Amino acid sequence: QVHLVESGGGVVQPGRSLRLSCAASGFTFSGNYGMHWVRQAPGKGLEWVTVISNDGSLRYYGDSVKGRFTISRDTSTNTLYLQMNSLRIEDTAVYYCARYFGELSSWDHWGQGTLVTVSS
Amino acid sequence: QSVLTQPPSVSAGAGQRVTMSCSGSSSNIGSNYVSWYQQLPGTAPTLLIYEDNKRPSGIPDRFSASKSGASAILAITGLQTGDEADYYCGTWHSSLNIAVFGGGTKLTVL
């Protein structure tokens, strides 16, 4: 059974950094799965943040986080990371990690999310 | 403002049928598969439809979807109060190498 469990959220001041983790289990982490971060600001819709390919060779970012956020994955621990630097108030959101299954062309499993609040 | 356009809300009575749209462009919906997600209040999104019109196991056939050109539609028949949720469409945007979601549609079952 696939499980994605995010952690690392919390309250942080503008301009500071935070690293989110997503522990994956129940599937071959290095298989045909891109791993994504998707966020949702309070009361708002889903916003795609970033993706990393199954072998880590490709990474793409949304314009709102490009140059500030870095996605990475550790296949030895089956963990996805999101390093968030220079945080802004508008980065406040629940951050979900989601598995993208190429054979279904969709995000077939999502974590429960972790809340990041950027506030002075 | 989302790249994909969805109506903010739709409503219909219990047992009735409702549809909701998702409009994009030739670079996203027009050239990539669309998937749909249901987000019940206070929970994470879950996959409802993949590859434009396919249902994962466990999703009842009350849920169906279609796509034509750069637009997609999700239909729900036999509405139940448990269907009240936010519904999102999503796809890949080829020319920008980004994923895109619609702004979401809130379904109210009257």
Side-chain angles (χ1 to χ4, degrees), chain A residues 4-10 12 18-22 36-42 46-50 64-65 68-69 80 82-85 87-98 110-118, chain B residues 44-45:
Chain A
L4 300 171
V5 180
E6 302 93 337
S7 61
V12 62
L18 203 61
R19 188 177 81 158
L20 305 183
S21 301
C22 171
H36 296 241
W37 288 97
V38 178
R39 69 184 181 183
Q40 186 170 35
L46 302 177
E47 180 189 9
W48 179 77
V49 176
T50 179
S64 60
V65 306
R68 300 187 300 123
F69 290 11
L80 177 72
L82 182 65
Q83 177 66 43
M84 305 185 295
N85 298 332
L87 281 162
R88 305 168 180 168
I89 291 176
E90 55 265 33
D91 294 320
T92 295
V94 173
Y95 285 74
Y96 297 102
C97 68
W110 299 64
Q112 86 288 349
T114 187
L115 176 62
V116 173
T117 302
V118 184

Side-chain angles (χ1 to χ4, degrees), chain B residues 7-105:
Chain B
S9 63
V10 295
S11 62
Q16 293 188 331
R17 178 180 184 267
V18 71
T19 63
M20 58 190 78
S21 60
C22 174
S23 297
S25 71
S26 58
S27 295
N28 44 62
I29 292 179
S31 53
N32 294 285
Y33 285 119
V34 175
S35 48
W36 290 87
Y37 302 85
Q38 179 190 60
Q39 187 176 34
L40 296 168
T43 68
T46 58
L47 178 63
L48 200 60
I49 297 286
Y50 69 96
E51 287 187 349
D52 296 341
N53 55 19
K54 298 179 174 63
R55 288 185 308 278
S57 60
I59 301 299
D61 58 7
R62 300 188 299 107
F63 295 88
S64 64
S66 62
K67 189 179 83 172
S68 177
S71 293
I73 293 177
L74 174 70
I76 310 173
T77 60
L79 278 172
Q80 303 172 1
T81 55
D83 296 332
E84 288 200 333
D86 295 321
Y87 293 84
Y88 294 91
C89 55
T91 188
W92 189 253
H93 191 106
S94 302
S95 61
L96 299 177
N97 277 326
I98 61 172
V100 289
F101 289 99
T105 297

